[in-house]
């Protein structure tokens, strides 16, 4: 939604009813005719408010809130419900049924409120002859807007132009005086006037906690509650407080003021709200405790309590008794808004009214005072200009009148003198600086549509007001800046924790985007660069509305990526907005059956919709992702059409980009290391197992950890000669490169030595010597090595050497389990080994199970699976295939403990068929 306040004044209506085609006039007495009021509108417009809503379903609720807040701020609570109902129907017709933006204009006059709802439907056929379509049936989903206008509004009408259709209605105000209210400042308790413990003339007395402490007979008569029913209850439970946009005073704050007058409502015992006029007085009782005395009367009897309005004074800064008033309060009013945006908005509105201008604006200087940033405006498209920045010093396209008062009688004579007003229709302008201790902090300006409206006298008046407001604005700005910096620090701490919590590249990219949208930007795109010779690649796109992600991705893929410049800081990238504008223009021209269009060509295919173009059409900035003195990508942040980034957001984004770049590079390095480790681990294991006649062989291998280190466990099954097969399973002490070196040495040496015809003990003795030759890089090795030779009778003969390794287990067909070898010294410790081999015969159906110590040393607290636990599991595997045996052992090991395994595990199962 884009909104902007339009200055009031004695101006003719921009769309008189006489512009309607003649066929549209009529009244409800004619079949199908539209009721259009031909009486002239009131020419005195005292206030205007305008808003534009996007063609999405949620805009209807936003439009209702806009009208409700506007009328509440104008004090027209009596007609809010009717206005909201009519606006809801008309905006629904525009954004849901017509599918276009809806423009809502609220006009305040002495007679009432006029609300106009326009939609943009250029393809609508303007009826020139024949009767108009009848209004919709009440049973239909749409078409009730005009019927409601006829039933509720005092006057209403429909107007057509070639580009818009407008429905307007007017609601008259009830015939009763409009009240005003005044308030005194908050005072310390010791400065409050003394009073008796019980104020007999009061209707209601409120203690310091906001609870009712006294309730007289008149209050019982007015609201239906007895004193016993309400004593001790907070006044907020009964008060129906009007929430006025732009002010922060509520019932709780009003009770803390020394004096207060105004209107609100009290919910009676019958459930109805009784409008009352109240006068509050803050006092202390005899014990020194502060309390508030509330005098309440019916709203139409407000004259009993209402303070007489003061007459105009000759000097606005002087009170009736000759004392000087605070010039700040004279200009800005009292109480002043607590928030910076509220203070700035009230400042521009008062400045506009003071000089009878059509618009006003206020800009604040950035920290380095080289640029001015738009922070508040009235009478201008504020949403389009908000946070736009212009340079301070003089020059083409620069804000040359920032440091001193300036009057421009006609901007057409000096185009670009005030860049903010370009294309707004403003002709004359007066601008003055806001300075604190000689330092430029901002600029305040008032503009008019007519030329020659302002002179040096108006500049002096505006400068006087600016001098009074500058210190308050700077104080509020510093307060806001401090809050932003604290919020930024918390944001960066949380972002650092999230980025440090993952080493996955894709997850890091997603976190980068999710942290920026919607906190810092409306949409985000991340480009990555693989190496210095590679072009930037679009890796991730995110928008706060998921429906736009594919469209933005398609749009960015059609344009060249930004240049990978390592210069720190955000730089504007105009290509997405330009491409979106061109695509939207071509789409609109095609929908109208026109040809031509911009000369800029994009590849045909997936074209962005008008909604996508609007989402990307604002300011787009690019921040480099620099890690270890190399540009590894770009972080692109964007705003929707005509929106800008504020300087503090860009600084926060720059800090985030530095942290994100380092996290992304760490994820890249970790991924590369993991890939290398996994490739090396695969090279240390056999590519496939041989097929042995009459013997089933199954292996399960599980690496512990995250896969970024090479494990020390290995296995191998390989043919030797003459129908014999060698098998081995081992475990090198430790992990990492040194363990991998010993693992590779052992696996390849076993194959070479076994195929030389050496016996098992000779093979292991030579392998032991080779390991010791590695010197400091050597690691001790536990190894189970054997040779298998299938026999003609269906059995298999095994010759086994177990060098420090967990003993192999033999499962017989009758379910008994026994060790198939004896323990012998491990390798890589002593030079002279005396090893021997043992012969084992596996009968048909027998199983030989070989494991590494990661299986037997599986722990859960103080418990360990051990050799006995493994044997117990194996006894349940009678009759299973080798694959089923290995799978059951692995499931038992995993279920033994809830924690993830801390050591690699290898299981080798061989079964004689």
């Amino acid at each position: 939604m884009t909104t902007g306040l339009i200055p009031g004044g004695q101006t003719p209506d921009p769309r008189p009813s006489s512009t309607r085609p003649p066929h549209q006039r009529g009244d409800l007495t004619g079949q199908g005719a539209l009721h259009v009021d031909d009486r002239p509108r009131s020419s005195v417009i005292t206030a205007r408010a305008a808003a534009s809503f996007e063609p999405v379903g949620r805009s209807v609720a936003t439009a209702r809130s806009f009208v409700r807040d506007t009328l509440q701020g104008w004090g027209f609570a009596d007609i809010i419900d009717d206005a909201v109902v009519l606006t809801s129907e008309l905006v629904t017709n525009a954004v849901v049924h017509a599918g276009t933006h809806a423009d809502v204009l609220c006009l305040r006059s002495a007679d009432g409120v006029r609300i106009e709802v326009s939609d943009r439907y250029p393809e609508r056929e303007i009826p020139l002859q024949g009767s108009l379509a009848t209004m919709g049936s009440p049973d239909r989903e749409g078409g009730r807007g005009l019927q409601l206008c006829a039933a509720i509004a005092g006057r209403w009408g429909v107007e057509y132009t070639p580009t818009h259709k407008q429905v307007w209605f007017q609601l008259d105000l009830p015939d009763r005086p409009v009240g005003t209210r005044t308030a005194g400042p908050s005072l310390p308790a010791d400065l409050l006037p003394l009073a008796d413990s019980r104020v007999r003339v009061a209707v209601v007395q409120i203690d310091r906690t906001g609870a009712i402490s006294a309730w007289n007979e008149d209050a019982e008569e007015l609201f239906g509650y007895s004193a016993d029913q309400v004593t001790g209850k907070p006044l907020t439970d009964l008060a129906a407080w009007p929430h006025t946009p732009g002010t922060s005073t509520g019932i709780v704050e009003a009770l803390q003021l020394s004096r207060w007058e105004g209107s609100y409502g009290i919910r009676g015992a019958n459930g109805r709200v009784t409008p009352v006029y109240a006068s509050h007085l803050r006092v202390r009782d005899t014990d020194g405790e502060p309390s508030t005395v509330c005098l309440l009367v019916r709203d139409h009897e407000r004259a009993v309590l209402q303070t007489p309005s003061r007459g105009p004074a000759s000097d606005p800064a002087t009170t009736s008794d000759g004392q000087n008033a605070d010039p700040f309060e004279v200009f800005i009013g009292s109480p002043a808004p607590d928030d910076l945006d509220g203070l700035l908005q009230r400042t521009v509105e008062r400045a506009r009214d003071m000089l009878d201008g059509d618009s006003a604006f206020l800009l604040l200087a950035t920290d380095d005072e080289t640029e001015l940033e738009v922070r508040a405006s009235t009478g201008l498209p504020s949403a389009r200009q908000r946070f736009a920045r212009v340079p301070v010093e003089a020059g083409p396209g620069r804000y040359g009148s920032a440091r001193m008062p300036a009057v421009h009688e006609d901007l057409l004579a000096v185009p670009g003198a005030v860049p903010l007003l370009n294309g707004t229709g403003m002709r004359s302008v007066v601008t003055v600086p806001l300075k604190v201790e000689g330092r430029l902090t901002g600029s305040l300006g008032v503009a008019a549509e007519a030329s020659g409206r302002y002179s040096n006298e108006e500049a002096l008046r505006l400068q006087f007001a600016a001098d009074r407001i500058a210190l308050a604005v700077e104080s509020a700005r510093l307060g806001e800046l401090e809050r932003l910096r604290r919020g930024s620090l918390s944001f960066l701490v949380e972002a650092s924790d999230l980025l440090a919590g993952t080493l996955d590249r894709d997850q890091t990219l997603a976190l980068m985007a999710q942290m920026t949208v919607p906190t810092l930007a409306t949409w985000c795109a991340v480009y990555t660069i693989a190496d210095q010779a590679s072009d930037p690649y679009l890796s991730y796109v995110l928008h706060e509305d998921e429906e736009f992600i594919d469209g933005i991705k398609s749009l960015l893929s059609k344009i060249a990526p930004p240049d990978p410049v390592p210069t720190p800081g955000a730089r504007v990238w105009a290509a997405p907005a330009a491409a979106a504008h061109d695509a939207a223009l071509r789409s609109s021209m095609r929908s109208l059956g026109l040809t031509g269009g911009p000369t800029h060509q994009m590849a045909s295919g997936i074209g962005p919709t008008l909604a996508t173009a609007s989402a990307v059409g604002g300011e787009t900035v690019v921040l480099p992702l620099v890690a270890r003195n190399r540009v590894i990508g770009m972080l692109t942040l964007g705003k929707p059409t005509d929106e800008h980034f504020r300087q503090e957001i860009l600084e926060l984004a720059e800090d985030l980009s530095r942290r994100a770049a380092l996290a992304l590079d760490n994820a890249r390095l970790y991924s590369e290391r993991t890939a290398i480790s996994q490739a090396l681990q695969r090279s240390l294991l056999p590519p496939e197992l041989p097929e042995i006649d009459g013997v089933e062989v199954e292996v399960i291998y599980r690496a512990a950890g995250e896969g970024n280190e090479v494990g020390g466990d290995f296995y191998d099954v390989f043919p030797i000669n003459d129908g014999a097969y060698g098998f081995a399973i081992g475990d090198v002490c430790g992990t990492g490169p040194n363990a991998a070196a010993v693992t590779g040495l052992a696996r390849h040496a076993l194959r070479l030595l076994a195929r030389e015809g050496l016996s098992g003990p000779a093979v292991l003795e030579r392998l032991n010597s080779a390991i010791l030759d590695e010197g400091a890089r050597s690691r001790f090795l536990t190894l189970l090595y054997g040779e298998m030779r299938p026999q003609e009778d269906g059995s298999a003969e095994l010759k086994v050497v177990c060098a420090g390794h967990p003993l192999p287990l033999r499962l017989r067909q009758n379910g008994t389990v026994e060790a198939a070898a004896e323990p012998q010294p491990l390798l890589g410790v002593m030079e002279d080994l005396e090893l021997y081999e043992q012969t084992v015969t596996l009968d048909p159906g027998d199983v030989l199970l070989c494991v590494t110590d990661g299986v037997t040393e599986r722990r859960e607290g103080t418990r360990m699976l051990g050799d006995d636990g493994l044997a117990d599991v194996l006894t349940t595997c009678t009759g299973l295939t080798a694959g089923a045996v290995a799978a059951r052992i692995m499931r038992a090991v995993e279920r033994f403990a809830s924690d993830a395994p801390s050591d690699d595990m290898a299981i080798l199962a061989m079964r004689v068929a």
Side-chain angles (χ1 to χ4, degrees):
M1 180 189 78
T2 58
T3 63
L5 294 179
I6 304 175
Q10 194 166 355
T11 57
D13 191 277
R15 293 178 294 273
S17 58
S18 60
T19 59
R20 292 177 291 101
H23 71 278
Q24 294 182 358
R25 302 189 179 186
D27 52 38
L28 289 177
T29 59
Q31 177 66 28
L34 295 177
H35 176 81
V36 180
D37 182 52
D38 291 325
R39 290 176 289 177
R41 307 176 194 173
S42 173
S43 61
V44 179
I45 303 298
T46 58
R48 303 186 182 199
S52 181
F53 302 93
E54 297 180 353
V56 292
R58 61 177 179 269
S59 294
V60 179
T62 309
R64 288 196 295 264
S65 299
F66 165 72
V67 172
R68 183 182 299 277
D69 291 344
T70 299
L71 299 189
Q72 187 73 60
W74 288 347
F76 295 161
D78 295 328
I79 62 174
I80 285 179
D81 291 339
D82 291 344
V84 168
V85 169
L86 295 179
T87 303
S88 178
E89 283 292 329
L90 299 180
V91 173
T92 299
N93 291 338
V95 302
V96 176
H97 300 303
T100 74
H101 282 71
D103 300 324
V104 179
L105 174 64
C106 301
L107 304 174
R108 182 183 71 184
S109 66
D111 299 333
V113 173
R114 175 187 173 104
I115 298 179
E116 303 177 355
V117 180
S118 302
D119 62 53
R120 311 167 190 175
Y121 196 15
E123 297 177 357
R124 178 186 298 277
E125 179 182 1
I126 302 177
L128 299 178
Q129 60 184 358
S131 61
L132 297 176
T134 60
M135 288 187 288
S137 168
D139 297 330
R140 295 178 57 194
E141 177 184 359
R144 297 191 296 265
L146 300 183
Q147 289 179 321
L148 288 175
C149 288
I152 297 176
R155 285 174 281 174
W156 65 279
V158 180
E159 299 174 4
Y160 281 90
T161 68
T163 58
H164 290 76
K165 184 195 74 173
Q166 178 198 109
V167 180
W168 62 268
F169 61 88
Q170 180 163 329
L171 299 174
D172 297 330
L173 297 176
D175 187 14
R176 66 175 181 82
V178 178
T180 60
R181 69 185 183 189
T182 61
S186 300
L187 293 179
D190 57 348
L191 296 181
L192 298 174
L194 289 171
D196 293 337
S197 60
R198 182 170 184 270
V199 180
R200 300 182 182 278
V201 297
V203 175
V204 182
Q205 190 164 354
I206 311 299
D207 62 21
R208 67 182 307 163
T209 65
I212 299 173
S213 60
W215 184 269
N216 70 349
E217 296 178 356
D218 291 338
E220 295 181 6
E221 181 67 21
L222 282 173
F223 310 120
Y225 298 106
S226 64
D228 294 337
Q229 290 179 294
V230 296
T231 301
K233 292 185 177 180
L235 180 62
T236 54
D237 289 352
L238 305 180
W241 191 263
H243 296 282
T244 304
T247 64
S248 60
T249 304
I251 181 66
V252 177
E253 289 81 4
L255 292 175
Q256 301 300 318
L257 299 175
S258 60
R259 290 189 318 278
W260 187 90
E261 278 187 29
S263 298
Y264 53 90
I266 296 293
R267 297 182 183 90
N270 58 4
R272 297 181 180 178
V273 176
T274 301
V276 296
Y277 190 84
S279 176
H280 296 178
L281 178 64
R282 189 81 161 152
V283 298
R284 283 187 300 156
D285 59 22
T286 54
D287 296 330
E289 290 292 322
S291 62
T292 303
V293 177
C294 304
L295 304 180
L296 307 175
V297 296
R298 293 184 179 91
D299 192 69
H300 64 274
E301 298 170 344
R302 63 175 57 209
V304 176
L305 300 178
Q306 189 169 11
T307 302
S309 58
R310 298 178 180 179
S314 57
D315 184 358
T318 304
T319 61
S320 58
D321 58 1
Q323 297 181 351
N324 291 333
D326 185 356
F328 169 77
E329 289 192 5
V330 171
F331 176 70
I332 202 63
S334 177
D338 296 330
D339 62 300
L340 178 61
D341 289 336
L343 177 60
L344 298 182
Q345 191 61 38
R346 188 181 294 186
T347 298
V348 296
E349 292 173 358
R350 295 296 170 85
R352 179 200 62 188
D353 297 340
M354 184 177 70
L355 298 187
D356 192 24
D358 295 320
S359 64
F361 52 89
L362 192 148
L363 302 89
L364 293 184
T366 55
D367 289 341
D368 57 6
E369 299 179 14
T370 60
E371 290 183 314
L372 291 172
E373 192 175 61
V374 180
R375 292 301 302 272
S377 64
T378 181
L380 296 174
S382 57
R384 181 171 55 203
Q385 301 290 349
R386 187 167 171 79
F387 299 123
R389 295 176 300 279
V390 290
V392 173
E393 301 302 333
R398 296 175 180 265
Y399 198 91
S401 58
R403 299 188 183 277
M404 63 180 63
V407 176
H408 296 279
E409 296 183 353
D410 192 350
L411 290 178
L412 294 181
V414 281
V418 184
L420 178 63
L421 301 179
N422 292 344
T424 62
M426 300 297 161
R427 295 283 298 276
S428 55
V429 61
V430 53
T431 60
V432 296
L434 276 69
K435 293 184 178 181
V436 176
E437 297 180 350
R439 181 172 57 88
L440 178 68
T441 61
S443 179
L444 177 63
V446 178
E449 296 178 352
S451 60
R453 284 281 300 275
Y454 303 116
S455 63
N456 290 337
E457 180 180 354
E458 283 79 11
L460 292 175
R461 291 178 60 195
L462 190 61
Q463 184 66 70
F464 177 83
D467 292 341
R468 299 304 181 268
I469 197 68
L471 184 59
V473 170
E474 179 65 5
S475 176
R477 187 188 73 86
L478 293 177
E480 181 193 65
L481 186 60
E482 180 64 20
R483 290 191 296 271
L484 284 174
R485 286 175 176 171
R486 290 182 181 179
S488 300
L489 182 60
S490 300
F491 173 79
L492 291 175
V493 169
E494 183 179 359
S496 299
D497 289 342
L498 291 173
L499 291 172
T502 179
L503 288 172
D504 182 80
R505 176 182 175 276
D506 294 336
Q507 189 173 0
T508 302
L509 290 173
L511 283 174
M512 290 171 57
Q514 292 168 4
M515 286 185 294
T516 57
V517 176
T519 305
L520 305 182
T522 305
W523 63 272
C524 166
V526 182
Y527 290 85
T528 56
I529 303 175
D531 52 63
Q532 295 181 353
S534 302
D535 294 329
Y537 173 75
L538 182 61
S539 299
Y540 202 90
V541 175
L542 184 66
H543 190 279
E544 62 181 6
D545 188 343
E546 295 182 356
E547 295 180 357
F548 293 120
I549 294 178
D550 292 337
I552 295 177
K553 188 181 299 184
S554 172
L555 177 67
L556 294 179
S557 65
K558 303 300 181 183
I559 60 178
D563 296 330
V565 179
T567 306
R571 54 191 174 93
V572 177
W573 186 29
H581 174 76
D582 292 351
L585 181 57
R586 285 197 302 273
S587 178
S588 298
M589 295 181 69
R590 284 195 301 268
S591 64
L592 295 175
L594 303 177
T595 58
T599 56
H600 174 71
Q601 296 293 329
M602 292 175 57
S604 59
I606 304 177
T609 63
L610 293 176
T612 301
S614 176
V616 186
E619 187 176 40
T620 303
V621 296
V622 177
L623 298 103
L625 298 175
V626 181
R628 298 175 176 88
N629 298 322
R630 186 175 73 88
V631 180
I632 63 172
M634 283 90 68
L635 178 63
T636 303
L637 306 179
K639 288 282 191 179
T641 299
D642 297 328
E643 289 194 19
H644 301 265
F645 289 97
R646 61 184 306 176
Q647 188 63 33
E648 293 83 0
I649 295 298
L650 294 180
E651 294 173 358
L652 180 58
E654 185 177 356
D655 289 338
L656 176 64
S657 67
R658 288 194 291 266
R659 289 165 170 78
L662 187 59
L664 183 61
D665 198 48
N666 288 340
R668 177 187 62 82
L669 294 175
Y670 180 82
S671 299
E672 292 178 356
R673 178 181 175 183
T674 301
I676 293 173
S677 299
Q678 292 175 349
L680 179 57
Q681 185 72 66
R682 287 192 298 268
S683 71
L684 300 178
L685 300 176
E688 59 183 10
L689 298 176
E691 293 185 1
I692 305 176
D693 293 337
V695 179
E696 300 173 0
V697 180
E698 182 66 28
V699 174
I700 296 178
Y701 180 83
R702 292 286 188 274
E706 299 180 359
N708 59 342
E709 290 188 355
V710 181
D713 290 9
F714 72 96
Y715 64 88
D716 199 1
V717 179
F718 55 91
I720 299 177
N721 52 38
D722 298 333
Y725 294 86
F727 64 92
I729 184 170
D731 185 2
V732 179
C733 176
T735 59
N738 291 335
V742 175
T743 301
L745 173 64
R747 177 171 172 267
H748 295 293
L750 285 174
R751 289 198 174 204
L752 291 174
L753 294 174
R755 288 170 178 171
E756 291 294 326
L758 299 177
S759 64
V763 169
L764 267 62
E765 289 171 359
R766 284 168 173 75
L767 175 60
N768 181 62
S769 300
I771 294 174
L772 293 176
D773 289 342
E774 292 292 311
R777 296 182 300 175
S778 66
R779 298 289 183 95
F780 64 81
L781 167 67
T782 67
L783 179 64
L784 172 65
Y785 172 74
E787 295 181 0
M788 173 185 290
R789 189 181 299 273
Q791 302 298 315
E792 294 181 357
D793 60 358
S795 63
E797 183 183 77
L798 279 68
K799 295 182 179 181
V800 183
V801 181
C802 185
H805 199 77
L807 299 180
L809 299 178
R810 175 183 180 179
L811 173 64
R812 296 182 181 273
Q813 286 184 318
N814 59 7
T816 59
V817 175
E818 59 185 11
E822 298 177 352
Q824 301 184 56
L826 52 76
L827 308 182
V829 178
M830 300 179 295
E831 292 185 0
D832 297 329
L833 291 179
E834 295 182 0
L835 302 176
Y836 58 91
E837 63 183 9
Q838 297 174 269
T839 302
V840 178
T841 301
L842 297 180
D843 297 327
D846 290 354
V847 176
L848 184 71
L849 176 67
C850 310
V851 300
T852 58
D853 58 4
V855 174
T856 57
E857 295 180 2
R858 177 73 163 149
R859 294 180 180 274
E860 173 69 19
T862 59
R863 298 186 307 117
M864 186 172 71
L865 179 64
D867 295 334
D868 294 338
L870 180 63
D872 292 340
V873 177
L874 186 59
T875 57
T876 65
C877 298
T878 304
L880 299 181
T881 63
V885 171
R888 178 169 293 186
I889 297 297
M890 178 57 68
R891 284 197 302 271
V893 172
E894 291 175 342
R895 293 173 180 174
F896 185 80
S898 57
D899 297 336
S902 59
D903 194 4
D904 297 340
M905 293 185 293
I907 300 174
L908 172 61
M910 295 182 292
R911 177 180 180 273
V912 178

